[in-house]
Amino acid sequence: METLHLTALGGLFCYNFLHVSRPRFRAPGGFPTRVLVCAAWRFPLVRFAAPHDGVVLLYHGVPRSDDLVGAEAFERHVRFLQDRFEIVPHSALETRRGRRGSVRLALTFDDGFRNNAEVVAPILRRYGVPALFFISNRHSDPAKYLWFAYLRALESHFDGPGFSFRGEYFDMRPATRARTALRLRETLLAMKPHPGALYEAIERELPHLEDFVDPRILADRYAGMSEEQVARLAGDPLFEVGGHTVDHPFLTRCEPGEITRQLEDNQRWLKRVSGKPCAVVAYPSGDYDASVVRECLRLGFTSGHAVVSSKRGRMETPRFGIYSASTDALAFKTMFGPALRTLGLRLG
């Protein structure tokens, strides 16, 4: 309990960085407040009070170049984590660190983007770092995209003034593009049955990405791993693969039979492609409930990963998403994330 209180104290001090502070708040001399607070992980006493349980970090796509976490920033993250923490295989997370030992963490990657095989895996191999990849299989086929990747590509690359969809005009001019993309997202997610109606609309009624996105950009940022790439990844002793559903739906929006299909078909596909049983699952978008957990257990999954969870049960292990190139932000989530989640505070 004393350790939790010390960690929470440091975490509450740093919480301002991820959730409360605004860029206009500055320390004396003009130094940004967020730089001061996120560096608190460096304080010796706070580091001594770091979590004793293993920490699970979550990445998504890592393209070759990106303003947030691209290849260069990710390699810097790997070196930083390797120097300051202990990166362990997912299967070794249950072993708690000693009082003076380094914080133990596992790296996980969601969705199965092609850049995980072509960018992430070579970097991890270079440093001998283990990782677990949660893979959705819809986008293993050419010209198939996960729904949120399609929307991201449409917003970023569509080259016309707009388009019509089901009697509505979607204005894609720069001043309205972000609002239009949000309106389209809400329209698609409201379609039933979920996610079948959503994907039918994307593939039959909305603009095709191949018509306006450079093929190299599609491959680097939006496409999924091929079956051959998944097989090579699963065959590497450094790596594990886990289930992430077929289509990356919001599982709580699915009918019961669709929940089963999403989980079971993905599990079978991974077993066929990798030659290994699939016993670990991550809930897409962190969306799940008790019925989803029961179905996962029935299908033979032995552990599950949420995003936000106050529990440490084997089917609801929390993870901490990494969305910034900053190594201070990375260390902050590793050191203080568990304590802040225990206190019920949100993390960015």
Side-chain angles (χ1 to χ4, degrees), residues 140-203:
S140 65
D141 292 330
K144 297 279 189 180
Y145 306 96
L146 298 180
W147 64 270
F148 62 90
Y150 171 86
L151 291 176
R152 190 187 309 146
L154 186 72
E155 181 179 0
S156 298
H157 304 287
F158 186 74
D159 57 1
F163 56 87
S164 295
F165 173 58
R166 298 198 175 184
E168 292 186 59
Y169 185 72
F170 288 79
D171 188 345
M172 295 293 283
R173 290 175 298 177
T176 59
R177 182 171 287 227
R179 292 195 301 274
T180 296
L182 180 59
R183 179 162 65 97
L184 179 60
R185 181 184 190 275
E186 292 172 347
T187 299
L188 290 171
L189 288 176
M191 293 178 176
K192 295 182 179 181
H194 178 75
L198 174 156
Y199 278 110
E200 184 174 358
I202 288 175
E203 295 178 358

Short mmCIF file of all heavy atoms in Angstrom, two decimals, residues 140-203:
data_model
loop_
_atom_site.label_atom_id
_atom_site.label_comp_id
_atom_site.label_asym_id
_atom_site.label_seq_id
_atom_site.Cartn_x
_atom_site.Cartn_y
_atom_site.Cartn_z
N SER A 140 -6.02 -9.00 -44.53
CA SER A 140 -4.93 -9.82 -45.09
C SER A 140 -5.10 -10.01 -46.59
O SER A 140 -4.15 -10.37 -47.28
CB SER A 140 -4.87 -11.19 -44.40
OG SER A 140 -6.03 -11.94 -44.68
N ASP A 141 -6.29 -9.76 -47.10
CA ASP A 141 -6.55 -9.84 -48.54
C ASP A 141 -6.26 -8.50 -49.20
O ASP A 141 -6.52 -7.44 -48.60
CB ASP A 141 -8.01 -10.22 -48.81
CG ASP A 141 -8.33 -11.65 -48.40
OD1 ASP A 141 -7.42 -12.50 -48.45
OD2 ASP A 141 -9.49 -11.90 -48.01
N PRO A 142 -5.75 -8.49 -50.43
CA PRO A 142 -5.48 -7.22 -51.13
C PRO A 142 -6.74 -6.38 -51.26
O PRO A 142 -7.84 -6.90 -51.48
CB PRO A 142 -4.96 -7.68 -52.50
CG PRO A 142 -4.44 -9.07 -52.28
CD PRO A 142 -5.33 -9.67 -51.22
N ALA A 143 -6.57 -5.06 -51.15
CA ALA A 143 -7.65 -4.08 -51.33
C ALA A 143 -8.76 -4.23 -50.29
O ALA A 143 -9.88 -3.77 -50.51
CB ALA A 143 -8.23 -4.14 -52.74
N LYS A 144 -8.47 -4.87 -49.17
CA LYS A 144 -9.40 -4.93 -48.05
C LYS A 144 -8.79 -4.11 -46.90
O LYS A 144 -7.58 -4.20 -46.64
CB LYS A 144 -9.63 -6.36 -47.57
CG LYS A 144 -10.27 -7.27 -48.61
CD LYS A 144 -11.77 -7.08 -48.65
CE LYS A 144 -12.43 -8.13 -49.52
NZ LYS A 144 -13.90 -7.96 -49.57
N TYR A 145 -9.62 -3.33 -46.23
CA TYR A 145 -9.12 -2.45 -45.18
C TYR A 145 -10.04 -2.54 -43.96
O TYR A 145 -11.25 -2.72 -44.10
CB TYR A 145 -9.05 -1.00 -45.67
CG TYR A 145 -8.25 -0.87 -46.93
CD1 TYR A 145 -8.88 -0.85 -48.18
CD2 TYR A 145 -6.86 -0.81 -46.89
CE1 TYR A 145 -8.16 -0.76 -49.34
CE2 TYR A 145 -6.12 -0.72 -48.07
CZ TYR A 145 -6.78 -0.71 -49.29
OH TYR A 145 -6.05 -0.64 -50.44
N LEU A 146 -9.48 -2.41 -42.80
CA LEU A 146 -10.30 -2.29 -41.61
C LEU A 146 -11.05 -0.95 -41.67
O LEU A 146 -10.52 0.04 -42.17
CB LEU A 146 -9.45 -2.37 -40.35
CG LEU A 146 -8.70 -3.70 -40.15
CD1 LEU A 146 -7.90 -3.68 -38.86
CD2 LEU A 146 -9.66 -4.89 -40.16
N TRP A 147 -12.26 -0.93 -41.15
CA TRP A 147 -13.14 0.23 -41.35
C TRP A 147 -12.52 1.54 -40.90
O TRP A 147 -12.63 2.57 -41.57
CB TRP A 147 -14.48 0.00 -40.66
CG TRP A 147 -14.41 -0.12 -39.16
CD1 TRP A 147 -14.25 -1.25 -38.43
CD2 TRP A 147 -14.49 0.96 -38.21
NE1 TRP A 147 -14.22 -0.97 -37.09
CE2 TRP A 147 -14.38 0.38 -36.93
CE3 TRP A 147 -14.65 2.34 -38.33
CZ2 TRP A 147 -14.41 1.15 -35.77
CZ3 TRP A 147 -14.69 3.11 -37.18
CH2 TRP A 147 -14.56 2.52 -35.91
N PHE A 148 -11.83 1.55 -39.76
CA PHE A 148 -11.26 2.81 -39.26
C PHE A 148 -10.04 3.23 -40.07
O PHE A 148 -9.77 4.43 -40.21
CB PHE A 148 -10.90 2.68 -37.77
CG PHE A 148 -9.87 1.63 -37.48
CD1 PHE A 148 -8.52 1.93 -37.48
CD2 PHE A 148 -10.26 0.33 -37.20
CE1 PHE A 148 -7.58 0.95 -37.21
CE2 PHE A 148 -9.32 -0.65 -36.93
CZ PHE A 148 -7.97 -0.34 -36.95
N ALA A 149 -9.31 2.26 -40.63
CA ALA A 149 -8.19 2.59 -41.51
C ALA A 149 -8.71 3.21 -42.81
O ALA A 149 -8.13 4.15 -43.34
CB ALA A 149 -7.36 1.35 -41.80
N TYR A 150 -9.82 2.64 -43.33
CA TYR A 150 -10.43 3.22 -44.52
C TYR A 150 -10.83 4.68 -44.26
O TYR A 150 -10.53 5.57 -45.07
CB TYR A 150 -11.67 2.41 -44.93
CG TYR A 150 -12.46 3.09 -46.02
CD1 TYR A 150 -12.14 2.91 -47.36
CD2 TYR A 150 -13.51 3.95 -45.69
CE1 TYR A 150 -12.84 3.59 -48.36
CE2 TYR A 150 -14.22 4.62 -46.68
CZ TYR A 150 -13.87 4.43 -48.01
OH TYR A 150 -14.56 5.11 -48.99
N LEU A 151 -11.48 4.95 -43.14
CA LEU A 151 -11.92 6.31 -42.84
C LEU A 151 -10.74 7.26 -42.66
O LEU A 151 -10.79 8.42 -43.09
CB LEU A 151 -12.80 6.31 -41.59
CG LEU A 151 -14.17 5.64 -41.73
CD1 LEU A 151 -14.89 5.62 -40.40
CD2 LEU A 151 -15.02 6.34 -42.79
N ARG A 152 -9.69 6.78 -42.04
CA ARG A 152 -8.50 7.61 -41.86
C ARG A 152 -7.88 7.96 -43.22
O ARG A 152 -7.48 9.11 -43.47
CB ARG A 152 -7.49 6.88 -40.98
CG ARG A 152 -6.31 7.73 -40.53
CD ARG A 152 -5.28 6.88 -39.83
NE ARG A 152 -5.87 6.05 -38.79
CZ ARG A 152 -5.44 4.83 -38.47
NH1 ARG A 152 -4.45 4.28 -39.15
NH2 ARG A 152 -6.01 4.16 -37.51
N ALA A 153 -7.81 6.96 -44.11
CA ALA A 153 -7.25 7.20 -45.43
C ALA A 153 -8.13 8.14 -46.24
O ALA A 153 -7.63 9.03 -46.97
CB ALA A 153 -7.07 5.88 -46.17
N LEU A 154 -9.43 7.96 -46.15
CA LEU A 154 -10.36 8.83 -46.87
C LEU A 154 -10.19 10.28 -46.42
O LEU A 154 -10.11 11.19 -47.25
CB LEU A 154 -11.79 8.36 -46.63
CG LEU A 154 -12.89 9.07 -47.43
CD1 LEU A 154 -12.83 8.66 -48.89
CD2 LEU A 154 -14.27 8.75 -46.84
N GLU A 155 -10.14 10.49 -45.12
CA GLU A 155 -9.99 11.86 -44.60
C GLU A 155 -8.65 12.47 -45.01
O GLU A 155 -8.58 13.65 -45.35
CB GLU A 155 -10.12 11.87 -43.09
CG GLU A 155 -10.00 13.26 -42.49
CD GLU A 155 -10.15 13.27 -40.98
OE1 GLU A 155 -10.37 12.19 -40.37
OE2 GLU A 155 -10.07 14.37 -40.39
N SER A 156 -7.60 11.68 -45.01
CA SER A 156 -6.26 12.20 -45.29
C SER A 156 -5.98 12.42 -46.77
O SER A 156 -5.23 13.32 -47.13
CB SER A 156 -5.20 11.25 -44.71
OG SER A 156 -5.33 11.14 -43.32
N HIS A 157 -6.58 11.60 -47.65
CA HIS A 157 -6.12 11.58 -49.04
C HIS A 157 -7.18 11.86 -50.09
O HIS A 157 -6.81 12.04 -51.27
CB HIS A 157 -5.49 10.21 -49.33
CG HIS A 157 -4.37 9.84 -48.40
ND1 HIS A 157 -3.13 10.44 -48.45
CD2 HIS A 157 -4.32 8.95 -47.37
CE1 HIS A 157 -2.35 9.92 -47.52
NE2 HIS A 157 -3.06 9.02 -46.84
N PHE A 158 -8.45 11.89 -49.74
CA PHE A 158 -9.47 12.10 -50.77
C PHE A 158 -9.19 13.41 -51.50
O PHE A 158 -8.97 14.45 -50.88
CB PHE A 158 -10.86 12.12 -50.15
CG PHE A 158 -11.96 12.19 -51.17
CD1 PHE A 158 -12.28 11.07 -51.94
CD2 PHE A 158 -12.66 13.36 -51.39
CE1 PHE A 158 -13.29 11.11 -52.88
CE2 PHE A 158 -13.68 13.43 -52.33
CZ PHE A 158 -13.99 12.30 -53.08
N ASP A 159 -9.21 13.37 -52.85
CA ASP A 159 -8.75 14.52 -53.64
C ASP A 159 -9.85 15.28 -54.34
O ASP A 159 -9.59 16.08 -55.23
CB ASP A 159 -7.71 14.06 -54.66
CG ASP A 159 -8.23 12.96 -55.59
OD1 ASP A 159 -9.41 12.57 -55.43
OD2 ASP A 159 -7.46 12.49 -56.44
N GLY A 160 -11.09 15.05 -53.95
CA GLY A 160 -12.20 15.78 -54.57
C GLY A 160 -12.89 16.69 -53.58
O GLY A 160 -12.59 16.69 -52.38
N PRO A 161 -13.85 17.51 -54.06
CA PRO A 161 -14.57 18.42 -53.15
C PRO A 161 -15.56 17.70 -52.25
O PRO A 161 -15.95 18.23 -51.20
CB PRO A 161 -15.29 19.36 -54.11
CG PRO A 161 -15.46 18.56 -55.37
CD PRO A 161 -14.24 17.69 -55.46
N GLY A 162 -15.98 16.50 -52.63
CA GLY A 162 -16.93 15.77 -51.82
C GLY A 162 -17.52 14.61 -52.59
O GLY A 162 -17.13 14.33 -53.73
N PHE A 163 -18.48 13.89 -51.97
CA PHE A 163 -19.12 12.76 -52.63
C PHE A 163 -20.50 12.57 -52.03
O PHE A 163 -20.81 13.05 -50.92
CB PHE A 163 -18.29 11.48 -52.47
CG PHE A 163 -17.99 11.13 -51.04
CD1 PHE A 163 -18.89 10.37 -50.27
CD2 PHE A 163 -16.81 11.56 -50.43
CE1 PHE A 163 -18.62 10.05 -48.96
CE2 PHE A 163 -16.54 11.26 -49.10
CZ PHE A 163 -17.45 10.50 -48.37
N SER A 164 -21.36 11.89 -52.76
CA SER A 164 -22.71 11.59 -52.29
C SER A 164 -22.78 10.17 -51.78
O SER A 164 -22.16 9.26 -52.34
CB SER A 164 -23.72 11.79 -53.42
OG SER A 164 -23.77 13.14 -53.81
N PHE A 165 -23.52 10.00 -50.70
CA PHE A 165 -23.67 8.67 -50.11
C PHE A 165 -25.06 8.58 -49.49
O PHE A 165 -25.39 9.35 -48.58
CB PHE A 165 -22.59 8.43 -49.06
CG PHE A 165 -22.74 7.17 -48.26
CD1 PHE A 165 -22.78 5.93 -48.89
CD2 PHE A 165 -22.83 7.21 -46.88
CE1 PHE A 165 -22.92 4.76 -48.15
CE2 PHE A 165 -22.97 6.05 -46.13
CZ PHE A 165 -23.01 4.82 -46.78
N ARG A 166 -25.87 7.69 -50.02
CA ARG A 166 -27.22 7.45 -49.52
C ARG A 166 -28.05 8.72 -49.37
O ARG A 166 -28.67 8.98 -48.33
CB ARG A 166 -27.17 6.66 -48.21
CG ARG A 166 -26.52 5.30 -48.40
CD ARG A 166 -26.81 4.34 -47.30
NE ARG A 166 -26.26 3.03 -47.61
CZ ARG A 166 -26.41 1.95 -46.86
NH1 ARG A 166 -27.11 2.02 -45.75
NH2 ARG A 166 -25.87 0.79 -47.23
N GLY A 167 -28.01 9.52 -50.43
CA GLY A 167 -28.84 10.71 -50.48
C GLY A 167 -28.29 11.91 -49.75
O GLY A 167 -28.93 12.97 -49.72
N GLU A 168 -27.10 11.80 -49.17
CA GLU A 168 -26.48 12.93 -48.48
C GLU A 168 -25.19 13.31 -49.19
O GLU A 168 -24.52 12.46 -49.79
CB GLU A 168 -26.16 12.58 -47.03
CG GLU A 168 -27.36 12.37 -46.14
CD GLU A 168 -26.93 12.18 -44.69
OE1 GLU A 168 -26.27 13.09 -44.14
OE2 GLU A 168 -27.23 11.12 -44.13
N TYR A 169 -24.84 14.60 -49.11
CA TYR A 169 -23.57 15.06 -49.67
C TYR A 169 -22.56 15.23 -48.54
O TYR A 169 -22.85 15.86 -47.51
CB TYR A 169 -23.74 16.39 -50.40
CG TYR A 169 -22.47 16.83 -51.10
CD1 TYR A 169 -22.02 16.15 -52.25
CD2 TYR A 169 -21.70 17.87 -50.60
CE1 TYR A 169 -20.85 16.54 -52.88
CE2 TYR A 169 -20.54 18.26 -51.23
CZ TYR A 169 -20.11 17.59 -52.37
OH TYR A 169 -18.95 17.96 -53.00
N PHE A 170 -21.40 14.66 -48.73
CA PHE A 170 -20.32 14.74 -47.75
C PHE A 170 -19.25 15.67 -48.29
O PHE A 170 -18.51 15.33 -49.21
CB PHE A 170 -19.79 13.33 -47.45
CG PHE A 170 -20.74 12.50 -46.64
CD1 PHE A 170 -21.82 11.87 -47.25
CD2 PHE A 170 -20.58 12.38 -45.27
CE1 PHE A 170 -22.72 11.12 -46.50
CE2 PHE A 170 -21.47 11.63 -44.51
CZ PHE A 170 -22.55 11.00 -45.12
N ASP A 171 -19.20 16.84 -47.71
CA ASP A 171 -18.32 17.93 -48.16
C ASP A 171 -16.90 17.69 -47.64
O ASP A 171 -16.66 17.68 -46.43
CB ASP A 171 -18.86 19.25 -47.63
CG ASP A 171 -18.14 20.47 -48.19
OD1 ASP A 171 -17.05 20.30 -48.76
OD2 ASP A 171 -18.68 21.58 -48.05
N MET A 172 -15.97 17.50 -48.57
CA MET A 172 -14.59 17.18 -48.19
C MET A 172 -13.62 18.34 -48.42
O MET A 172 -12.42 18.15 -48.48
CB MET A 172 -14.11 15.95 -48.96
CG MET A 172 -14.87 14.68 -48.61
SD MET A 172 -14.59 14.10 -46.92
CE MET A 172 -12.96 13.35 -47.09
N ARG A 173 -14.16 19.55 -48.51
CA ARG A 173 -13.27 20.70 -48.59
C ARG A 173 -12.52 20.86 -47.27
O ARG A 173 -13.00 20.43 -46.21
CB ARG A 173 -14.07 21.95 -48.92
CG ARG A 173 -14.62 21.98 -50.34
CD ARG A 173 -15.51 23.17 -50.57
NE ARG A 173 -16.68 23.15 -49.68
CZ ARG A 173 -17.58 24.11 -49.63
NH1 ARG A 173 -17.47 25.18 -50.41
NH2 ARG A 173 -18.61 24.02 -48.80
N PRO A 174 -11.33 21.46 -47.29
CA PRO A 174 -10.49 21.52 -46.09
C PRO A 174 -11.20 22.05 -44.85
O PRO A 174 -11.00 21.54 -43.75
CB PRO A 174 -9.34 22.44 -46.51
CG PRO A 174 -9.22 22.23 -47.99
CD PRO A 174 -10.63 22.03 -48.47
N ALA A 175 -12.03 23.08 -45.00
CA ALA A 175 -12.66 23.70 -43.84
C ALA A 175 -13.66 22.78 -43.15
O ALA A 175 -13.94 22.93 -41.95
CB ALA A 175 -13.35 25.00 -44.25
N THR A 176 -14.21 21.83 -43.88
CA THR A 176 -15.26 20.97 -43.31
C THR A 176 -14.86 19.49 -43.25
O THR A 176 -15.62 18.67 -42.77
CB THR A 176 -16.55 21.08 -44.14
OG1 THR A 176 -16.27 20.70 -45.49
CG2 THR A 176 -17.08 22.50 -44.11
N ARG A 177 -13.68 19.17 -43.73
CA ARG A 177 -13.29 17.77 -43.90
C ARG A 177 -13.34 16.99 -42.59
O ARG A 177 -13.85 15.88 -42.54
CB ARG A 177 -11.90 17.67 -44.54
CG ARG A 177 -11.44 16.26 -44.80
CD ARG A 177 -10.16 16.23 -45.63
NE ARG A 177 -10.43 16.59 -47.00
CZ ARG A 177 -9.98 15.90 -48.06
NH1 ARG A 177 -9.26 14.80 -47.87
NH2 ARG A 177 -10.23 16.31 -49.27
N ALA A 178 -12.78 17.52 -41.52
CA ALA A 178 -12.75 16.78 -40.25
C ALA A 178 -14.16 16.50 -39.75
O ALA A 178 -14.46 15.39 -39.29
CB ALA A 178 -11.94 17.55 -39.22
N ARG A 179 -15.03 17.50 -39.81
CA ARG A 179 -16.42 17.30 -39.36
C ARG A 179 -17.14 16.29 -40.25
O ARG A 179 -17.93 15.47 -39.76
CB ARG A 179 -17.17 18.64 -39.37
CG ARG A 179 -16.69 19.61 -38.32
CD ARG A 179 -17.70 20.74 -38.12
NE ARG A 179 -17.93 21.49 -39.35
CZ ARG A 179 -17.21 22.51 -39.77
NH1 ARG A 179 -16.16 22.91 -39.04
NH2 ARG A 179 -17.50 23.15 -40.89
N THR A 180 -16.86 16.36 -41.55
CA THR A 180 -17.49 15.42 -42.48
C THR A 180 -17.05 14.00 -42.18
O THR A 180 -17.87 13.07 -42.19
CB THR A 180 -17.14 15.79 -43.93
OG1 THR A 180 -17.68 17.08 -44.24
CG2 THR A 180 -17.69 14.77 -44.91
N ALA A 181 -15.75 13.81 -41.92
CA ALA A 181 -15.25 12.47 -41.62
C ALA A 181 -15.90 11.91 -40.35
O ALA A 181 -16.24 10.73 -40.28
CB ALA A 181 -13.73 12.50 -41.47
N LEU A 182 -16.09 12.77 -39.36
CA LEU A 182 -16.75 12.33 -38.13
C LEU A 182 -18.21 11.96 -38.40
O LEU A 182 -18.71 10.95 -37.88
CB LEU A 182 -16.67 13.43 -37.08
CG LEU A 182 -17.32 13.13 -35.73
CD1 LEU A 182 -16.69 11.90 -35.09
CD2 LEU A 182 -17.21 14.34 -34.81
N ARG A 183 -18.89 12.74 -39.23
CA ARG A 183 -20.29 12.44 -39.56
C ARG A 183 -20.41 11.12 -40.30
O ARG A 183 -21.31 10.32 -40.03
CB ARG A 183 -20.88 13.58 -40.40
CG ARG A 183 -22.34 13.36 -40.82
CD ARG A 183 -22.99 14.66 -41.24
NE ARG A 183 -22.38 15.23 -42.42
CZ ARG A 183 -22.86 15.07 -43.67
NH1 ARG A 183 -23.95 14.33 -43.87
NH2 ARG A 183 -22.27 15.64 -44.68
N LEU A 184 -19.47 10.87 -41.22
CA LEU A 184 -19.49 9.60 -41.95
C LEU A 184 -19.23 8.44 -41.00
O LEU A 184 -19.89 7.38 -41.09
CB LEU A 184 -18.45 9.61 -43.07
CG LEU A 184 -18.34 8.33 -43.90
CD1 LEU A 184 -19.66 8.01 -44.59
CD2 LEU A 184 -17.22 8.45 -44.93
N ARG A 185 -18.30 8.61 -40.08
CA ARG A 185 -18.02 7.55 -39.10
C ARG A 185 -19.27 7.22 -38.29
O ARG A 185 -19.61 6.04 -38.12
CB ARG A 185 -16.89 8.00 -38.17
CG ARG A 185 -16.48 6.98 -37.12
CD ARG A 185 -15.41 7.57 -36.21
NE ARG A 185 -14.83 6.57 -35.34
CZ ARG A 185 -15.33 6.17 -34.17
NH1 ARG A 185 -16.47 6.69 -33.74
NH2 ARG A 185 -14.72 5.24 -33.46
N GLU A 186 -19.95 8.24 -37.80
CA GLU A 186 -21.16 8.01 -37.01
C GLU A 186 -22.25 7.35 -37.84
O GLU A 186 -22.98 6.47 -37.34
CB GLU A 186 -21.64 9.34 -36.44
CG GLU A 186 -20.69 9.92 -35.39
CD GLU A 186 -21.07 11.33 -34.97
OE1 GLU A 186 -21.92 11.95 -35.67
OE2 GLU A 186 -20.53 11.82 -33.97
N THR A 187 -22.35 7.74 -39.11
CA THR A 187 -23.35 7.13 -40.00
C THR A 187 -23.08 5.65 -40.20
O THR A 187 -23.99 4.81 -40.11
CB THR A 187 -23.36 7.85 -41.37
OG1 THR A 187 -23.70 9.23 -41.18
CG2 THR A 187 -24.35 7.20 -42.33
N LEU A 188 -21.83 5.31 -40.44
CA LEU A 188 -21.47 3.91 -40.69
C LEU A 188 -21.64 3.05 -39.43
O LEU A 188 -22.13 1.92 -39.50
CB LEU A 188 -20.02 3.83 -41.20
CG LEU A 188 -19.77 4.38 -42.60
CD1 LEU A 188 -18.27 4.44 -42.90
CD2 LEU A 188 -20.47 3.54 -43.66
N LEU A 189 -21.24 3.58 -38.30
CA LEU A 189 -21.34 2.80 -37.07
C LEU A 189 -22.79 2.60 -36.61
O LEU A 189 -23.07 1.68 -35.84
CB LEU A 189 -20.52 3.45 -35.95
CG LEU A 189 -19.00 3.33 -36.10
CD1 LEU A 189 -18.30 4.11 -35.00
CD2 LEU A 189 -18.55 1.88 -36.10
N ALA A 190 -23.68 3.43 -37.11
CA ALA A 190 -25.09 3.28 -36.75
C ALA A 190 -25.79 2.22 -37.60
O ALA A 190 -26.91 1.82 -37.29
CB ALA A 190 -25.81 4.62 -36.91
N MET A 191 -25.14 1.75 -38.66
CA MET A 191 -25.76 0.77 -39.55
C MET A 191 -25.85 -0.60 -38.89
O MET A 191 -24.95 -1.00 -38.13
CB MET A 191 -24.96 0.65 -40.85
CG MET A 191 -25.01 1.90 -41.70
SD MET A 191 -24.00 1.69 -43.20
CE MET A 191 -24.36 3.23 -44.03
N LYS A 192 -26.91 -1.31 -39.18
CA LYS A 192 -27.10 -2.66 -38.65
C LYS A 192 -27.39 -3.62 -39.79
O LYS A 192 -28.00 -3.24 -40.79
CB LYS A 192 -28.26 -2.66 -37.64
CG LYS A 192 -27.97 -1.83 -36.40
CD LYS A 192 -29.12 -1.90 -35.41
CE LYS A 192 -28.81 -1.08 -34.16
NZ LYS A 192 -29.91 -1.15 -33.18
N PRO A 193 -26.93 -4.87 -39.66
CA PRO A 193 -26.16 -5.42 -38.53
C PRO A 193 -24.70 -4.95 -38.57
O PRO A 193 -24.14 -4.70 -39.63
CB PRO A 193 -26.25 -6.93 -38.75
CG PRO A 193 -26.36 -7.07 -40.23
CD PRO A 193 -27.19 -5.90 -40.69
N HIS A 194 -24.16 -4.81 -37.38
CA HIS A 194 -22.78 -4.40 -37.23
C HIS A 194 -21.89 -5.65 -37.15
O HIS A 194 -22.24 -6.60 -36.45
CB HIS A 194 -22.61 -3.58 -35.95
CG HIS A 194 -21.23 -3.13 -35.67
ND1 HIS A 194 -20.63 -2.10 -36.35
CD2 HIS A 194 -20.31 -3.57 -34.76
CE1 HIS A 194 -19.40 -1.92 -35.88
NE2 HIS A 194 -19.19 -2.80 -34.91
N PRO A 195 -20.75 -5.69 -37.89
CA PRO A 195 -20.22 -4.66 -38.78
C PRO A 195 -20.51 -4.92 -40.26
O PRO A 195 -19.97 -4.23 -41.11
CB PRO A 195 -18.72 -4.77 -38.52
CG PRO A 195 -18.51 -6.25 -38.37
CD PRO A 195 -19.74 -6.76 -37.65
N GLY A 196 -21.33 -5.93 -40.56
CA GLY A 196 -21.53 -6.32 -41.96
C GLY A 196 -22.05 -5.19 -42.83
O GLY A 196 -21.56 -4.97 -43.95
N ALA A 197 -23.05 -4.45 -42.33
CA ALA A 197 -23.62 -3.37 -43.13
C ALA A 197 -22.59 -2.27 -43.38
O ALA A 197 -22.55 -1.67 -44.46
CB ALA A 197 -24.84 -2.79 -42.42
N LEU A 198 -21.78 -2.01 -42.40
CA LEU A 198 -20.73 -1.00 -42.51
C LEU A 198 -19.75 -1.36 -43.64
O LEU A 198 -19.44 -0.54 -44.51
CB LEU A 198 -20.02 -0.89 -41.17
CG LEU A 198 -18.79 -0.03 -40.96
CD1 LEU A 198 -18.69 0.34 -39.48
CD2 LEU A 198 -17.52 -0.74 -41.38
N TYR A 199 -19.28 -2.59 -43.64
CA TYR A 199 -18.31 -2.99 -44.67
C TYR A 199 -18.94 -3.07 -46.05
O TYR A 199 -18.30 -2.76 -47.07
CB TYR A 199 -17.66 -4.33 -44.29
CG TYR A 199 -16.54 -4.17 -43.30
CD1 TYR A 199 -16.66 -4.60 -41.98
CD2 TYR A 199 -15.34 -3.56 -43.67
CE1 TYR A 199 -15.64 -4.43 -41.07
CE2 TYR A 199 -14.31 -3.39 -42.77
CZ TYR A 199 -14.46 -3.83 -41.47
OH TYR A 199 -13.44 -3.65 -40.58
N GLU A 200 -20.19 -3.46 -46.13
CA GLU A 200 -20.87 -3.50 -47.42
C GLU A 200 -20.96 -2.09 -48.01
O GLU A 200 -20.73 -1.89 -49.22
CB GLU A 200 -22.26 -4.10 -47.27
CG GLU A 200 -23.00 -4.25 -48.59
CD GLU A 200 -24.31 -4.97 -48.45
OE1 GLU A 200 -24.64 -5.40 -47.32
OE2 GLU A 200 -25.02 -5.12 -49.46
N ALA A 201 -21.24 -1.11 -47.17
CA ALA A 201 -21.31 0.27 -47.65
C ALA A 201 -19.94 0.77 -48.11
O ALA A 201 -19.82 1.42 -49.16
CB ALA A 201 -21.85 1.17 -46.54
N ILE A 202 -18.91 0.47 -47.35
CA ILE A 202 -17.56 0.90 -47.72
C ILE A 202 -17.15 0.31 -49.07
O ILE A 202 -16.61 1.02 -49.94
CB ILE A 202 -16.55 0.51 -46.62
CG1 ILE A 202 -16.74 1.40 -45.39
CG2 ILE A 202 -15.11 0.61 -47.14
CD1 ILE A 202 -15.88 1.02 -44.20
N GLU A 203 -17.40 -0.97 -49.27
CA GLU A 203 -16.89 -1.64 -50.45
C GLU A 203 -17.76 -1.43 -51.69
O GLU A 203 -17.26 -1.50 -52.82
CB GLU A 203 -16.71 -3.12 -50.15
CG GLU A 203 -15.64 -3.35 -49.09
CD GLU A 203 -15.45 -4.81 -48.72
OE1 GLU A 203 -16.19 -5.67 -49.25
OE2 GLU A 203 -14.58 -5.09 -47.88
#
